[in-house]
Amino acid sequence: MSTFYVTTPIYYANGEPHAGHAYTTIAADALARYHRIKGDDVFFLTGVDEHGANIDKTAESEGLSPQAFCDKLAPIFTKLWERLNISNDIFLRTTSELHKRGIKKFLTALYESGDVYKAPYEGHYCRPCERFFPEKELSDDKICPIHKIPLEWVKEENYFFRLSKYQDRLLQHYNENPEFVYPDTRRNELLSVLESGLEDTSISRSSVSWGIPLPFDPEHIAYVWIDALPNYITALGYDADNERYHTFWPANVHMMAKEITRFHALLWPAMLMAANLPLPKQIVAHGWLTKDGEALSKTRGIFIDMDGDIATYGVDAFRYYLLREFSFGNDGDYRPTRLHQRYNADLANDLGNLLNRVLGLLNKNFDGIPAPTTPGEFDDEIKQMAQKTSETFDAHIETFAFDSALETIWEFVRRVNRYVQQTEVWTLAKPETKPRMGTILYNCLEALRYISVLLSPFIPDTAEKIQQQIGLTEFDSVAEWGRLPVDLKVSRGEPIFPRVDLKKEKAQPKKEKAKPEKKTSEKKSNLISFSDFQKMDLRVARVISAEPIEGADRLLKLEVDIGTEKRQVVAGIAEHYQPDALIGKQVIVVMNLEPATIRNVESHGMILAASDDSVVLVSPETDVPLGTQVR
RNA sequence: GCCGGUGUAGCUCAGUGGUAGAGCACACGACUCAUAAUCGUGCUGUCCGGAGUUCGACUCUCCGCACCGGCACCA
């Protein structure tokens, strides 16, 4: 028996899970279930990453301790996974003892490899900011750009991992294992990063308190990624060097969204090399979901209404849609109308109706499943197609082409519908043709059983319902033709996918859009005094000229008129504003910001803009005299 | 600016050196076992634009445009 270990990332638990998390997890679940029915010994991990400064901060803003915050959030993940029918074998939390023990052992091994070194880090430090400022961010007077106070020269010790040392070995690994990173676009990206050189990376954070202390120097806290990545082995029992660990490591597939491939495909393998452990076999990255063509955004209220769609169409339809519609690896646009079409066309009409019509005929004419005594035209074709479908299906799963895999099954579903049509079974109820009728119905039901097996990794509940209606009391997960027993009492239940009428849905009151989260309780430490605020010199100015800066995609060089003087300012708004459209516009300029040189262009001040996904300039409501103070 | 990818029917996408396909949607027909379902037939395309190689390119090469990623840049 071969083994199969698949993981999702452990999701960063500083907010609730969204459709992106669900997509990754459902894809991994489909793989896990697929390998289980193939008879593999499967271990499927998901979990949450609970350490680091961001969680500390979010917890604080909610007035909770970090641990209490995590304890509140983790069940929200597990409940969603239950709802989505995720068959994970473990839900790993980085605050668990299991992980803590494992990470201690792993970091010790890393340290003993000799590739962790302590290096003094010295620089300009701002106490209120709790951070260093690189030379290039500062002007000659060395004051904090945020607090406007003189910076201290502080020397601090930090731990580094000698990532640079592994550049060649990684490159070699990539070349010898072309399938290591999938798909190729991501692989190419990482290769170009590798070829341009890796730098040693800091693995500890002294400014962070919420995390795991380095075992070889508890004064320092492990950087959150260094803490998180080894979860894939700590979850197996790496600390105890136990059987599960030896059975399942190295992992077959680390499944994830594309933005975190770098950590998984460069840093993590290098860490494993240093600790002298085997590397995972494949890093698999999928694309992002968009909603009706727009990037998901909390602040703009663009999100995928999982709850609503699941309530309308059911969990399996949601799972089906995600895996059927999107070509894995590419970004996919989530459209409720497409989900609706897929639901009615594929699930209700093709599959659901097929089951229902066959069971209807059987109920009316037979008492239990008849024996296939009377072969005839098309029978062999159906049987052969079942076999071929299964083979093609397997090939698609191997390359994560879930969409093609499902399409392959549906070709067979349609073929069986045609079989019913071609043989005109419903006309064969006369005594002399009844044995033939029974044979055809047997073939249809066996085809449906066969289909339910192939579908079970994707839509497990449905697969089970199909077999229940056929009369099987226990799920038969073997895709071999002819296993369906005769004389089973079928139970034609409710349609497994009742059609959904969109008009009815529309008549229902629309759900309220989620409001952007508000931080209600600002912490005292975030407050500034009025005199701090007064230090800022904000003025109304008019844009006189605007032009792009050579070699920079996001930058515009602006000349602004403040009434008394003119200034040159660099603004990172080129992606959102045409230069010409800016001319004549009134804007707000920060006058007393220290000058900086960006891309060889001097900037004397800063233009205010609201920005998250988009960037919108702040402008007086009506024209005011140039140079007017803004307060 | 550099590096990679994509651009094919209304939509989602396949595809091949010999001038294009599937599913959905749409139209018409058949059938009535079934969830107004199923089955059949049909429909639409300058295969991003331009140049080149070739007997012949949507498929190869080059140039360009658009979009999507990665890197730099975001005072």
Side-chain angles (χ1 to χ4, degrees):
Chain A
M1 182 161 48
S2 47
T3 61
F4 187 79
Y5 178 29
V6 56
T7 71
T8 74
I10 47 172
Y11 303 111
Y12 199 58
N14 69 339
E16 296 194 5
H18 53 69
H21 299 119
Y23 182 47
T24 312
T25 311
I26 288 170
D29 183 58
L31 277 183
R33 287 174 182 274
Y34 171 79
H35 282 274
R36 281 194 204 106
I37 65 170
K38 285 280 161 192
D40 292 344
D41 190 6
V42 171
F43 196 77
F44 171 21
L45 170 147
T46 187
V48 279
D49 176 6
E50 303 181 297
H51 287 134
N54 284 326
I55 283 172
D56 199 8
K57 208 185 281 174
T58 310
E60 197 181 313
S61 76
E62 293 199 4
L64 293 172
S65 74
Q67 187 64 57
F69 176 76
C70 292
D71 290 345
K72 197 184 89 178
L73 214 55
I76 297 176
F77 278 84
T78 52
K79 271 182 195 141
L80 178 62
W81 302 151
E82 272 169 38
R83 180 145 193 237
L84 292 176
N85 224 338
I86 302 303
S87 63
N88 53 299
D89 295 295
I90 192 171
F91 182 83
L92 184 97
R93 298 179 55 178
T94 54
T95 51
S96 66
E97 284 308 313
L98 174 68
H99 179 69
K100 286 179 183 166
R101 287 198 306 269
I103 200 74
K104 192 172 168 192
K105 178 170 168 184
F106 182 79
L107 291 179
T108 304
L110 198 66
Y111 185 67
E112 285 168 356
S113 73
D115 289 322
V116 170
Y117 60 93
K118 197 176 190 181
Y121 191 92
E122 49 187 332
H124 304 282
Y125 188 80
C126 171
R127 234 162 248 293
C129 291
E130 289 185 53
R131 63 164 282 206
F132 288 95
F133 285 91
E135 196 76 31
K136 66 173 181 178
E137 288 185 26
L138 300 173
S139 55
D140 293 337
D141 50 6
K142 309 295 182 213
I143 57 170
C144 169
I146 292 144
H147 295 88
K148 308 295 171 202
I149 56 169
L151 296 172
E152 299 169 53
W153 184 255
V154 172
K155 221 172 178 178
E156 194 188 83
E157 302 272 89
N158 251 315
Y159 286 92
F160 287 81
F161 171 55
R162 219 181 297 277
L163 183 58
S164 57
K165 178 179 156 186
Y166 292 93
Q167 180 173 333
D168 291 340
R169 276 180 68 186
L170 282 169
L171 207 51
Q172 190 187 351
H173 186 76
Y174 272 63
N175 288 328
E176 286 170 1
N177 303 278
E179 76 297 333
F180 182 58
V181 178
Y182 181 91
D184 283 349
T185 28
R186 299 272 93 79
R187 178 171 186 268
N188 290 340
E189 257 170 43
L190 293 169
L191 272 173
S192 82
V193 172
L194 268 176
E195 274 154 12
S196 68
L198 296 177
E199 284 180 15
D200 291 354
T201 182
S202 150
I203 60 166
S204 63
R205 290 291 132 102
S206 47
S207 58
V208 175
S209 57
W210 177 238
I212 292 183
L214 298 180
F216 44 87
D217 189 345
E219 296 295 299
H220 295 257
I221 300 293
Y223 171 46
V224 64
W225 274 102
I226 297 295
D227 166 0
L229 288 165
N231 90 86
Y232 301 125
I233 59 172
T234 66
L236 296 174
Y238 166 74
D239 63 304
D241 199 31
N242 67 9
E243 192 191 330
R244 187 200 267 171
Y245 169 71
H246 288 285
T247 305
F248 290 108
W249 190 257
N252 297 75
V253 172
H254 283 328
M255 174 83 71
M256 69 200 67
K258 63 187 182 184
E259 76 278 6
I260 53 171
T261 46
R262 196 167 295 207
F263 293 103
H264 283 83
L266 298 177
L267 178 57
W268 175 226
M271 285 161 71
L272 286 165
M273 284 170 176
N276 206 18
L277 297 172
L279 307 194
K281 292 183 183 136
Q282 204 170 20
I283 312 293
V284 177
H286 65 73
W288 286 336
L289 297 179
T290 56
K291 165 78 185 300
D292 290 324
E294 291 190 274
L296 302 181
S297 160
K298 224 187 219 175
T299 47
R300 288 166 65 210
I302 297 174
F303 70 108
I304 290 169
D305 181 14
M306 289 193 280
D307 289 341
D309 288 339
I310 291 171
T312 307
Y313 302 101
V315 167
D316 275 359
F318 180 71
R319 291 175 58 116
Y320 174 78
Y321 173 66
L322 286 177
L323 295 172
R324 171 65 186 90
E325 184 92 344
F326 306 129
S327 72
F328 196 83
N330 300 325
D331 289 359
D333 194 25
Y334 187 99
R335 297 186 196 182
T337 55
R338 289 292 300 164
L339 167 59
H340 179 261
Q341 286 173 354
R342 284 279 175 206
Y343 178 85
N344 275 346
D346 296 359
L347 298 176
N349 294 353
D350 287 347
L351 180 63
N353 182 55
L354 174 61
L355 177 67
N356 201 236
R357 72 194 296 207
V358 172
L359 291 179
L361 283 163
L362 196 97
N363 261 349
K364 212 173 286 180
N365 298 290
F366 294 89
D367 183 30
I369 296 180
T373 55
T374 320
E377 201 182 5
F378 308 117
D379 291 12
D380 285 346
E381 196 188 328
I382 296 292
K383 188 181 162 180
Q384 278 158 22
M385 187 161 179
Q387 176 63 28
K388 185 141 189 289
T389 298
S390 175
E391 286 163 16
T392 312
F393 179 79
D394 288 348
H396 286 312
I397 300 282
E398 282 304 308
T399 57
F400 308 101
F402 300 120
D403 56 334
S404 308
L406 285 166
E407 170 60 19
T408 303
I409 296 176
W410 252 262
E411 280 169 22
F412 187 44
V413 171
R414 285 191 285 269
R415 180 65 191 89
V416 178
N417 263 318
R418 202 159 85 242
Y419 178 60
V420 174
Q421 208 73 19
Q422 286 171 319
T423 55
E424 300 188 354
V425 239
W426 59 89
T427 65
L428 303 178
K430 294 160 287 192
E432 64 273 25
T433 50
K434 210 161 174 189
R436 177 59 186 149
M437 183 188 212
T439 303
I440 293 166
L441 292 179
Y442 177 89
N443 286 338
C444 288
L445 286 175
E446 173 57 356
L448 278 159
R449 187 198 65 82
Y450 200 99
I451 286 163
S452 74
V453 173
L454 298 187
L455 283 178
S456 64
F458 296 88
I459 45 178
D461 281 350
T462 301
E464 224 162 275
K465 272 192 216 164
I466 291 174
Q467 294 208 1
Q468 272 168 20
Q469 293 205 359
I470 288 175
L472 289 161
T473 45
E474 211 165 302
F475 192 80
D476 182 350
S477 63
V478 181
E480 271 172 30
W481 188 268
R483 291 172 58 89
L484 182 67
V486 292
D487 290 335
L488 280 182
K489 296 281 177 285
V490 305
S491 61
R492 184 194 188 191
E494 291 298 304
I496 52 174
F497 292 110
R499 278 183 65 90
V500 173
D501 187 349
L502 202 56
K503 279 172 196 157
K504 262 188 215 161
E505 295 302 312
K506 271 187 183 156
Q508 280 171 13
K510 280 198 174 171
K511 291 221 167 70
E512 272 185 43
K513 277 212 164 183
K515 285 172 197 138
E517 276 184 24
K518 263 182 210 155
K519 293 265 162 63
T520 40
S521 55
E522 289 295 335
K523 294 301 284 187
K524 267 202 172 141
S525 58
N526 293 336
L527 301 179
I528 60 166
S529 68
F530 183 65
S531 65
D532 281 345
F533 171 72
Q534 275 186 319
K535 287 178 192 158
M536 274 204 285
D537 186 8
L538 303 173
R539 305 252 179 185
V540 173
R542 190 186 301 284
V543 178
I544 328 176
S545 73
E547 55 184 274
I549 291 174
E550 186 129 354
D553 284 354
R554 316 168 82 144
L555 304 183
L556 290 180
K557 182 169 87 178
L558 305 179
E559 196 176 357
V560 295
D561 186 352
I562 301 134
T564 51
E565 57 170 316
K566 295 190 171 99
R567 280 194 182 195
Q568 177 174 292
V569 176
V570 172
I573 56 173
E575 288 173 313
H576 304 91
Y577 285 92
Q578 290 298 320
D580 291 349
L582 290 169
I583 293 171
K585 239 186 167 52
Q586 287 205 336
V587 293
I588 311 299
V589 177
V590 185
M591 297 292 288
N592 57 344
L593 193 62
E594 61 212 357
T597 301
I598 303 137
R599 282 265 142 182
N600 288 327
V601 180
E602 280 187 36
S603 181
H604 300 271
M606 172 176 169
I607 308 286
L608 293 190
S611 76
D612 64 339
D613 314 307
S614 57
V615 170
V616 179
L617 288 178
V618 175
S619 185
E621 195 184 27
T622 54
D623 263 23
V624 293
L626 300 182
T628 304
Q629 269 232 314
V630 177
R631 292 188 278 202

